[in-house]
Amino acid sequence: MATVRLSFSPAPVHVRTARLVGVAVARRAGVREDLLDEVRLAIGEACTRAVALHRQYHVPDPVLVEMSDAGSYSVRVVDRAPIEASIGLTALDADQLANESLDEDDLTTGVGFALLAGFVEDLQVRPVDEGVGTEVRMVWPVGR
Amino acid sequence: MELSLATRAVGEHTVLEVGGEVDVYTAPRLRERLLELIDGGARHVVVDLGRVDFLDSTGLGVLVGALKRLRSAGGSFALVCDKEPLLKIFRITALDQVFPLYPTVDAAIGADPTGAGV
């Protein structure tokens, strides 16, 4: 079993780094090549959500990304924002998306969740075990 | 890959060619460029995603913002995309029902319901 941990200051510029590391570890773990685009997108969405929450609530703590290949490839993205874990986790339908009154931030949040739910079969969003924050846990099968 | 943006005029249409990665870091530049175009008088905008390697929810939010802004100004907005991974993103988010999507720039301009095609 291998574990890779990455923590980064909650700034948009670092989300790309998290995506690159996440895909590199996924490839090394044996995730099928045709799933890697989805891994990249899902890790990016989870990190984008975490960064947005840290900035919204002025939380300077780093965002944690932990990747593990124990039997499958699992990725945990942990934020420290003081909110209910379920907030913002609603996919929007086409009418809502096109609604003039929906602002861009809310639209991005809804679309981000739709992408997470659509691309990750094994997805859990739950409060962290200790302290405040949310853990987004994503699991993909490995081909070995 | 960094974001690249290039604009060209085709008749009454403004075609914005986007390349590279559109994410939470680069999407603000795409938003700025689209606002510049619209504020500068562009009313029929086609965004060509043919060279985009990565597109996330932030980028999609910017595109929806431009669509709404142009529609409220009586203009038109279309996307050009023929890559299956990107098309899947539009399907999963239901945004394929919001955006006019075309496989080529010519198809997007030719199909413009406002009659601004060339």
Side-chain angles (χ1 to χ4, degrees):
Chain A
M1 171 183 151
T3 300
V4 175
R5 283 193 191 90
L6 168 73
S7 64
F8 62 91
S9 301
V13 68
H14 301 310
V15 171
R16 181 171 188 261
T17 304
R19 290 199 305 267
L20 292 173
V21 173
V23 169
V25 179
R27 184 176 277 122
R28 172 93 185 119
V31 175
R32 288 199 331 258
E33 282 290 321
D34 62 316
L35 291 178
L36 293 180
D37 274 348
E38 300 181 4
V39 170
R40 181 166 71 139
L41 186 67
I43 293 174
E45 291 298 338
C47 290
T48 295
R49 175 180 185 273
V51 168
L53 288 171
H54 277 225
R55 291 165 78 86
Q56 184 178 349
Y57 290 94
H58 307 289
V59 178
D61 305 39
V63 173
L64 172 70
V65 185
E66 183 179 276
M67 296 145 271
S68 173
D69 69 352
S72 56
Y73 179 56
S74 67
V75 180
R76 294 169 60 230
V77 177
V78 178
D79 69 68
R80 292 293 173 187
I83 62 159
E84 293 286 326
S86 60
I87 285 179
L89 299 186
T90 307
L92 304 170
D93 64 28
D95 287 341
Q96 291 169 309
L97 291 166
N99 191 313
E100 293 296 333
S101 63
L102 183 67
D103 76 27
E104 191 177 307
D105 286 345
D106 288 344
L107 184 140
T108 298
T109 302
V111 166
F113 177 67
L115 289 173
L116 271 178
F119 280 122
V120 187
E121 278 186 31
D122 189 345
L123 171 71
Q124 292 178 39
V125 183
R126 61 188 183 196
V128 293
D129 291 336
E130 291 183 8
V132 295
T134 303
E135 170 184 316
V136 176
R137 185 169 185 272
M138 304 167 279
V139 182
W140 288 273
V142 294
R144 292 188 301 221
Chain B
M1 184 182 161
E2 266 294 305
L3 180 73
S4 69
L5 299 169
T7 309
R8 63 189 168 96
V10 181
E12 291 185 32
H13 286 78
T14 303
V15 179
L16 177 60
E17 295 175 349
V18 185
E21 299 191 341
V22 186
D23 72 353
V24 65
Y25 180 57
T26 62
R29 282 176 49 206
L30 176 61
R31 181 190 298 111
E32 280 174 25
R33 179 62 67 88
L34 283 165
L35 286 177
E36 278 172 15
L37 292 173
I38 297 167
D39 291 346
R43 285 296 171 267
H44 304 287
V45 175
V46 175
V47 175
D48 183 355
L49 302 173
R51 292 188 298 119
V52 168
D53 307 314
F54 183 83
L55 178 65
D56 77 357
S57 57
T58 327
L60 291 167
V62 168
L63 295 173
V64 173
L67 169 83
K68 290 178 178 174
R69 189 172 282 254
L70 275 165
R71 281 194 175 160
S72 66
S76 67
F77 184 82
L79 297 178
V80 173
C81 177
D82 66 349
K83 290 181 180 175
E84 178 50 32
L86 287 187
L87 291 170
K88 187 174 180 181
I89 287 172
F90 286 102
R91 286 197 301 272
I92 281 178
T93 55
L95 286 170
D96 61 335
Q97 298 166 54
V98 174
F99 289 115
L101 280 161
Y102 300 96
T104 65
V105 171
D106 285 348
I109 291 173
D112 192 330
T114 64
V118 291

